[in-house]
Amino acid sequence: MKIYLCLALSLLIAGCGVFSSMALTQANLDKIHDDMSPAEVKSILGAPTDSKSEPIPIVGGTQTIYTYHSDSADVTIIFKNDLMKEKKGTFAK
């Protein structure tokens, strides 16, 4: 019974995004490259703190912006038509 309780608690904590800030490092941001899918980015950086999608004017398609925030980092990833096209991040030293 204790094992199930620990497992449930671990899943609850992970679902709240507590572990996502551990993946938010310059080394992990460096692993992100052009044309990665949102799923591939999430597998490296974890779930974003916030995301929004909007139409791309004139060209068409959809732009999605993932933002990641922690006490020591701010990262923005921009996807165009579900392919990573831009990334930027600042990290406290």
Side-chain angles (χ1 to χ4, degrees):
M1 184 66 175
K2 287 183 182 181
I3 292 173
Y4 293 116
L5 182 59
C6 289
L7 179 60
L9 183 58
S10 296
L11 290 173
L12 178 65
I13 291 172
C16 293
V18 171
F19 295 116
S20 65
S21 65
M22 289 193 278
L24 200 53
T25 63
Q26 182 66 57
N28 281 343
L29 182 60
D30 291 343
K31 294 177 186 176
I32 306 300
H33 58 81
D34 284 353
D35 297 331
M36 289 181 86
S37 71
E40 291 171 311
V41 170
K42 285 181 185 177
S43 73
I44 295 169
L45 297 179
T49 307
D50 188 36
S51 67
K52 71 176 185 175
S53 294
E54 55 195 25
I56 301 172
I58 301 172
V59 178
T62 303
Q63 174 174 286
T64 302
I65 301 170
Y66 281 4
T67 54
Y68 294 84
H69 301 288
S70 73
D71 292 340
S72 60
D74 287 304
V75 172
T76 302
I77 307 289
I78 299 175
F79 299 91
K80 294 186 179 175
N81 298 321
D82 289 329
L83 296 174
M84 200 294 295
K85 296 299 180 186
E86 297 177 46
K87 66 178 180 178
K88 58 185 170 187
T90 56
F91 298 88
K93 294 184 180 195

